Amino acid sequence: MSVAGLKKQFYKASQLVSEKVGGAEGTKLDEDFKDLERKVDVTSKAVVEVISKTSEYLQPNPASRAKLSMLNSMSKIRGQVKNPGYPQAEGLLGECMAKFGQELGEDTNFGGALVDAGESMKRLAEVKDSLDIDVKQNFIDPLQGLCDKDLREIQHHLKKLEGRRLDYDYKKKRQGKIPDEEVRQALEKFHESKEVAETSMYNLLETDIEQVSQLSSLVESQVQYHRQAVQILEELSDKLRDRMNEAQSRPRREYTPKPKPIFDFGDSDQSNGGYTTSVAPPSTCNSEPSLISFDPARLPFRKSRLPSEPPCCKALYDFDPENEGELGFREGDIITLTNQIDENWYEGTLHGQSGFFPLNYVEVVVPLSN
């Protein structure tokens, strides 16, 4: 930095200290400028907060958002083109329903209904994914661009204006010691920065119809999503109603019990103290009941099992979380394992907190069951 630059920095720092500590008064900006500055500040806060809340609306699970962000970062590092998508709750519910519906069998009432409902939930998840993409492209990305470009540029102009104001005020109060030409140049630069900042703020606020258009795109995407969701759910409702009507129209089958087995402990050659079953012969009026000797020593002996220890690991080093959803711990902590994300990351709980942590920071004591 040049000598002139160092002097200017010293002037600004001295003026700032005299205002903050000594109570000196600096050059006041007009009310119109302050009003523009206030509205731009509110706009900037609104954009940042709306982007955050919209992301939470589309992806409400914070742990899944953190996991998705981590996986996307790892995919970029590995050079993978396709990134994993957010696990929609409807999709997870649909997979669960379809799985157990197929295990029960589609020929059963409940099994077939679960399969139908599961397919509909998966379709809802696909529609929700389309909503995520539309909102990101037509609402979040434009707002993020406004935040990164226009608002950041305005903040740069305001910061430059404040620096030139401090420089001008310092020189103005020392008029006589500082040449008049320097004071005049400082005033000109101050007015120049004020005009640039005022123009940029005015243009931003006058073109806010663009933000209205982006908000309209958000609402249109939501309308489209809910319209498709209603159509899918109405189709599912019709299918389930048809199943109920069909089941009610079929005659009910009566349950026919099978013959009861009898237990024969008389054969000493049975391994492990087992027994054989046979169907009881029909009883006759003249037959006498036979007595069966019972020997408890010949029954199989079963050892009681102690409850197994939960999966856990021991921290080898301290781990301080850097991203939302990560779990911090200290060396020697015992962490309960709940899930393995991939070959590099685990999910676990410690002191009532849950989150993700890297595999190479811990030693597995009790592994997760397959």
Side-chain angles (χ1 to χ4, degrees):
M1 185 179 291
S2 64
V3 176
L6 287 172
K7 287 174 64 178
K8 186 176 290 186
Q9 293 298 323
F10 173 75
Y11 294 162
K12 290 190 288 186
S14 298
Q15 180 63 24
L16 182 62
V17 170
S18 64
E19 290 180 6
K20 297 294 183 182
V21 179
E25 234 177 90
T27 301
K28 298 293 183 182
L29 297 167
D30 57 83
E31 292 300 322
D32 290 339
F33 186 93
K34 289 182 179 179
D35 187 56
L36 286 174
E37 191 175 7
R38 182 190 64 81
K39 289 179 180 179
V40 168
D41 183 59
V42 173
T43 301
S44 178
K45 292 177 181 177
V47 168
V48 172
E49 193 68 15
V50 167
I51 290 175
S52 174
K53 296 302 180 184
T54 304
S55 299
E56 292 179 13
Y57 161 72
L58 294 174
Q59 301 176 354
N61 189 329
S64 295
R65 285 202 308 274
K67 176 181 174 182
L68 179 61
S69 176
M70 177 189 67
L71 293 177
N72 285 338
S73 299
M74 295 175 67
S75 297
K76 291 179 181 178
I77 294 173
R78 295 171 181 170
Q80 297 175 350
V81 177
K82 187 176 181 181
N83 295 329
Y86 178 82
Q88 303 291 353
E90 295 87 348
L92 298 177
L93 176 59
E95 291 175 1
C96 173
M97 288 180 168
K99 173 188 172 184
F100 288 104
Q102 290 168 0
E103 289 185 10
L104 280 173
E106 296 186 46
D107 54 335
T108 64
N109 291 326
F110 188 37
L114 279 175
V115 171
D116 289 341
E119 293 302 320
S120 296
M121 291 297 122
K122 290 179 183 178
R123 290 174 61 194
L124 282 176
E126 292 175 358
V127 174
K128 190 70 177 291
D129 285 335
S130 298
L131 173 66
D132 285 4
I133 294 171
D134 289 344
V135 172
K136 187 176 186 305
Q137 291 179 346
N138 301 320
F139 183 67
I140 293 180
D141 286 351
L143 285 183
Q144 190 65 53
L146 175 70
C147 187
D148 294 340
K149 185 181 177 183
D150 296 344
L151 290 171
R152 182 173 294 179
E153 185 178 332
I154 289 174
Q155 291 303 320
H156 169 73
H157 292 320
L158 291 174
K159 184 177 179 181
K160 192 172 184 179
L161 172 64
E162 177 65 9
R164 288 185 170 180
R165 181 195 68 78
L166 291 171
D167 181 60
Y168 166 66
D169 286 342
Y170 178 86
K171 292 176 179 177
K172 181 179 66 173
K173 289 183 179 179
R174 286 156 182 80
Q175 217 166 1
K177 296 181 180 179
I178 294 178
D180 292 343
E181 181 62 22
E182 281 192 33
V183 178
R184 185 186 63 79
Q185 289 179 357
L187 179 60
E188 287 179 357
K189 288 183 178 180
F190 167 68
H191 284 305
E192 178 187 338
S193 291
K194 179 177 179 294
E195 184 178 352
V196 171
E198 196 167 18
T199 302
S200 61
M201 291 190 294
Y202 179 82
N203 291 337
L204 174 72
L205 296 175
E206 281 298 304
T207 57
D208 60 353
I209 191 63
E210 294 180 8
Q211 284 74 64
V212 178
S213 174
Q214 292 151 10
L215 192 60
S216 176
S217 298
L218 168 66
V219 175
E220 286 298 324
S221 298
Q222 289 176 301
V223 168
Q224 183 69 14
Y225 162 71
H226 287 293
R227 186 181 291 120
Q228 293 176 344
V230 167
Q231 181 181 352
I232 293 171
L233 292 175
E234 285 180 345
E235 292 175 2
L236 175 61
S237 179
D238 292 339
K239 285 184 180 180
L240 296 178
R241 192 178 298 108
D242 292 341
R243 280 189 178 275
M244 289 188 293
N245 294 334
E246 183 183 353
Q248 291 172 356
S249 63
R250 287 198 303 262
R252 182 176 179 181
R253 294 181 298 175
E254 294 295 331
Y255 171 71
T256 304
K258 295 180 180 179
K260 295 180 179 179
I262 62 173
F263 304 98
D264 184 9
F265 296 95
D267 188 359
S268 61
D269 295 333
Q270 294 291 332
S271 62
N272 297 326
Y275 55 81
T276 59
T277 61
S278 61
V279 178
S283 61
T284 60
C285 295
N286 297 327
S287 63
E288 296 181 358
S290 59
L291 296 176
I292 301 175
S293 62
F294 175 69
D295 185 3
R298 301 176 63 187
L299 290 176
F301 175 71
R302 296 184 179 178
K303 296 181 179 180
S304 61
R305 294 184 177 179
L306 294 174
S308 59
E309 296 183 18
C312 62
C313 62
K314 182 179 180 181
L316 299 176
Y317 319 98
D318 293 351
F319 176 66
D320 296 318
E322 297 180 355
N323 301 308
E324 182 181 2
E326 293 181 350
L327 177 68
F329 49 78
R330 292 290 174 264
E331 180 182 351
D333 285 346
I334 301 299
I335 308 160
T336 302
L337 297 174
T338 57
N339 189 20
Q340 183 168 359
I341 307 305
D342 57 17
E343 64 272 15
N344 298 316
W345 288 81
Y346 270 128
E347 182 179 12
T349 59
L350 176 65
H351 305 317
Q353 302 291 326
S354 63
F356 309 100
F357 55 91
L359 174 63
N360 55 359
Y361 276 68
V362 299
E363 178 185 14
V364 176
V365 179
V366 180
L368 288 162
S369 58
N370 294 329

